[in-house]
Structures are given as C-alpha cells and as structure tokens.
Amino acid sequence: MQILLILVVLIVVGGFLYMFHPRFGTNASGERLTLMEGKPNFKNGSFDNLEPTPALAEGTTYSDIMLSFFKKRERNVPKDLIPVVKSNLHALPLDSNVYVWFGHSSYFMQLDGKRILVDPVFSKYATPVRISVRAFNSTYDYTAADIPEVDILFISHDHWDHLDYNTFMQLKGKIKHIVTGIGVGAHLEKWGYPANQITELYWGETAEVAGFSITSTTARHFSGRAFKRNTSLWSSFVLNGSKKIFVGGDSGYGKHFKEIGTQYGPFDFVILENGQYDKMWHYIHMMPEEVVQVAQELQAAYLIPVHSSKFPLANHSWDDPLIRVTTAAHAKHVDIITPQIGQVVSLDSVPETSAWWEGLD
C-alpha cells in the first residue's frame, strides 16, 4: 500500500512539474493582454465565439465522450500504410503556384514567388503525452528538414494538433514571418521567436505581409494548451494574392461562413477542416456535408479538404472524411481537390487528383 501511495504521489508531482515544460507555452500578459482585454468577445480572461457554442452537443456529457473512446472503434486507424509522395520542396521553381498537403491540417503553398506554411505538425503525436493520438504509419514522413525557407507561416490556433512545439523548435531560423490570432504570440515568444517576426490579428483586422493582404476572419472553435480554455484567439484567414485563398482553421458550422463569402468572396481555393468530427461535438467541428455547403457559401471555385488522414482524434473510420466529403461534393457539383500527402498540386491549372484512399484498409 505504501509503495502504491508513493507511485501515485510521484505521478502527481511529475505531472505537475511537466506542466511547466516550455511546450505548454504561456498565457498573454502585459501589453498583449491589455490589447486582448479591449476586444468585444474577451471577458473574464478568455475569448468567446460570436454564436453560442457549447463544447458538447445537447444531451452529451464528458462521461459519454470518455466511454466512446473506450468502445471498439472500427477502422479508426488504417492497417495499410498511408501512401505519401516524396516531393523535393527545395527544388520547386519559386515562380510556380502550388499546394502540398502533409496530412491533417499541415500544408505548404507557393504563391506569387513566396513560400507559405500552415499549421505545421511533423511530430508523431498530437498531444503532450507521447502515449496517445499517434500518427498513422505512412510510406514517408515529412519533417522540418523537408521545408525550405518560409516567407509566411500561418497558425490558426494553439491546439496541439496545429501548434507543435517540437516542429517549431526545428523550424526556427527558416521562418521569416508568422501570422496568427491575438494571444498566440505569447507561446511563440516563449519559444524564442522574435516579436518583430509575429503579426497577431483579431477578427476583421488586415495586415500587409510579404506582399500579400491578409485578413483574419471568424471561426467557431476554441483554444488552449492546458486546463484553461480560450486564452488566445482561434482564426481563419483570407490570403489575397494573384489567387484568393481561404485558410480555414478549425471551425464548426455557423453563419460566419456566409458572411465571409459575402464580404470577401468569391475565392479561388477554400481549404476547410474536414475530419475529427462527431455529433457529440458538432458545434466545433463540421460534418463533411457541411464542409461542402460552406464551400458554396464562400463562393469557392475549388474546395480542398484537410484535417484527416494522419491522427485518430475522433471515432470515425480513418477514410470516412474523404469518402463523405467527395460524395457530397459530387452531389452538389462542387469541384474538389483531394491530393495524396506530398503530391504537388498546381494552382494555375485545373488540378487532377484521385480517390487515393480507395482500396486501403
């Protein structure tokens, strides 16, 4: 009994000390916090959504969620290796406008002679505890070494599957500028990124960065890397260059999408989160059919779905997001782009992609 008690104490103390690791980042303070306190949806130390957004759907409890993760999950993780195209991003002609997906919400773009990176996570895990949410096995794993010097790095919000400490430490020195939501910069400065390399935006604010006009737009989600939620802002972005691109970030469905489409559309490409959904938390993650509806509301020429094919963060089968979103897109006559991980997709010509997930178990 004494040995068990000692082990429990050691685990509790060890967990408490681990919370001070730099990977957890830090909350805003000083001038940054004062600026946040002046925003209309920042109250009692945290941001809120513009629409009422409960974390769980009506009738759902946290006990229901815990029990669901202990139930047998069918094909939640693929048995086969995820096929990955190994592309040399360093050798891409800088005058080519391209898109390359790394799985989940991480992707690389070249546009108008600039290199852009979004929500890079090259770690094998999407949580601070390296015993859960492990990345799927694949034929090739992209790393920070595969990434050339980046002109703009977007961070949609500070969740572990979008803002990875190890990746950011490995990318340091390659990043010229970071664009993110207000409050996220506190984490980055703690990790050694200079303040003059970080632009933090509130919804509706616009900045000129590397020759682009970038506007922060609303998302319906939440933030937080530890126990307290919503201490920094979650965002989507409008990237205005020779192509107009919507960088979606995590979001549940809401009226904000139609408003963004009306104010900033039409878009050449909309990159929308499609995966890790469940009816139990449908306010903060869209269902695939809603993703297609949003592409229409944003007046998109092409839809590119992300947020799948790397981490098992929900109970659906690993390929369900791609099956459902393509079925819905074809039914609604929405042009959709579904490249393999690592495949270089031209943004200047009609992209050709395939249902690469078919036939995989």
Side-chain angles (χ1 to χ4, degrees):
M1 193 67 181
Q2 288 179 328
I3 293 174
L4 180 59
L5 181 60
I6 291 171
L7 286 174
V8 170
V9 171
L10 288 174
I11 291 172
V12 171
V13 172
F16 176 76
L17 293 175
Y18 182 57
M19 294 291 292
F20 289 94
H21 191 286
R23 73 175 66 250
F24 285 88
T26 190
N27 291 334
S29 60
E31 292 182 7
R32 177 178 281 113
L33 180 58
T34 300
L35 188 62
M36 291 162 61
E37 289 172 337
K39 303 307 178 185
N41 67 325
F42 189 83
K43 300 173 183 177
N44 300 318
S46 61
F47 285 104
D48 200 0
N49 287 286
L50 297 185
E51 291 184 71
T53 306
L56 304 179
E58 293 81 356
T60 302
T61 66
Y62 283 102
S63 296
D64 294 331
I65 290 181
M66 292 301 295
L67 288 172
S68 74
F69 278 96
F70 284 107
K71 290 180 181 178
K72 184 178 180 182
R73 294 186 273 178
E74 296 293 334
R75 301 182 66 251
N76 182 246
V77 174
K79 294 179 182 177
D80 295 328
L81 295 177
I82 295 291
V84 174
V85 179
K86 186 178 179 181
S87 299
N88 185 353
L89 306 182
H90 296 270
L92 289 174
L94 196 52
D95 60 354
S96 60
N97 295 329
V98 299
Y99 166 88
V100 182
W101 181 44
F102 303 121
H104 202 63
S105 295
S106 305
Y107 50 94
F108 172 86
M109 294 184 288
Q110 285 186 177
L111 185 65
D112 303 341
K114 303 295 183 182
R115 296 186 179 104
I116 300 161
L117 187 61
V118 178
D119 287 357
V121 176
F122 298 125
S123 294
K124 272 293 189 181
Y125 295 90
T127 67
V129 182
R130 296 322 199 221
I131 58 173
S132 64
V133 196
R134 188 183 188 280
F136 302 154
N137 291 324
S138 58
T139 57
Y140 181 75
D141 293 322
Y142 277 88
T143 69
D146 291 305
I147 306 300
E149 189 176 65
V150 171
D151 295 286
I152 306 172
L153 191 159
F154 285 97
I155 306 168
S156 63
H157 62 299
D158 71 357
H159 281 159
W160 296 85
D161 59 322
H162 294 257
L163 178 59
D164 179 62
Y165 170 77
N166 290 339
T167 299
F168 270 76
M169 297 308 290
Q170 293 160 7
L171 285 172
K172 195 180 293 184
K174 289 188 173 185
I175 309 301
K176 293 182 180 179
H177 206 87
I178 297 172
V179 177
T180 189
I182 186 170
V184 179
H187 302 311
L188 303 174
E189 289 181 23
K190 184 178 179 68
W191 298 344
Y193 281 81
N196 62 6
Q197 288 185 356
I198 305 167
T199 295
E200 295 174 85
L201 299 175
Y202 182 71
W203 297 332
E205 293 180 344
T206 298
E208 302 296 320
V209 181
F212 297 101
S213 174
I214 298 170
T215 301
S216 170
T217 43
T218 314
R220 192 182 187 191
H221 199 56
F222 67 106
S223 67
R225 297 178 69 79
F227 297 115
K228 187 174 182 180
R229 285 186 168 193
N230 301 347
T231 55
S232 63
L233 193 65
W234 48 100
S235 307
S236 56
F237 299 95
V238 175
L239 175 65
N240 245 318
S242 61
K243 312 288 182 185
K244 187 182 287 186
I245 298 174
F246 182 70
V247 177
D250 279 3
S251 182
Y253 179 76
K255 63 182 181 181
H256 60 286
F257 285 117
K258 191 172 185 64
E259 292 170 353
I260 291 169
T262 299
Q263 185 170 359
Y264 300 104
F267 290 92
D268 297 294
F269 300 92
V270 295
I271 305 171
L272 298 176
E273 309 294 307
N274 170 65
Q276 321 317 317
Y277 45 75
D278 194 290
K279 290 181 180 179
M280 292 190 290
W281 55 80
H282 70 84
Y283 287 111
I284 55 176
H285 279 295
M286 289 186 284
M287 297 294 180
E289 294 75 20
E290 291 175 319
V291 172
V292 174
Q293 180 181 342
V294 166
Q296 293 177 310
E297 292 179 355
L298 291 171
Q299 305 173 54
Y302 289 98
L303 162 64
I304 305 177
V306 295
H307 212 236
S308 70
S309 306
K310 186 169 183 177
F311 295 117
L313 288 163
N315 289 330
H316 57 65
S317 59
W318 74 269
D319 53 358
D320 189 64
L322 290 167
I323 292 170
R324 288 175 59 179
V325 78
T326 53
T327 299
H330 295 154
K332 293 290 184 69
H333 306 290
V334 170
D335 288 322
I336 187 169
I337 302 170
T338 56
Q340 290 188 53
I341 294 173
Q343 179 183 348
V344 178
V345 176
S346 173
L347 299 178
D348 288 323
S349 56
V350 178
E352 292 186 8
T353 56
S354 63
W356 59 265
W357 56 90
E358 291 182 351
L360 297 177
D361 195 6

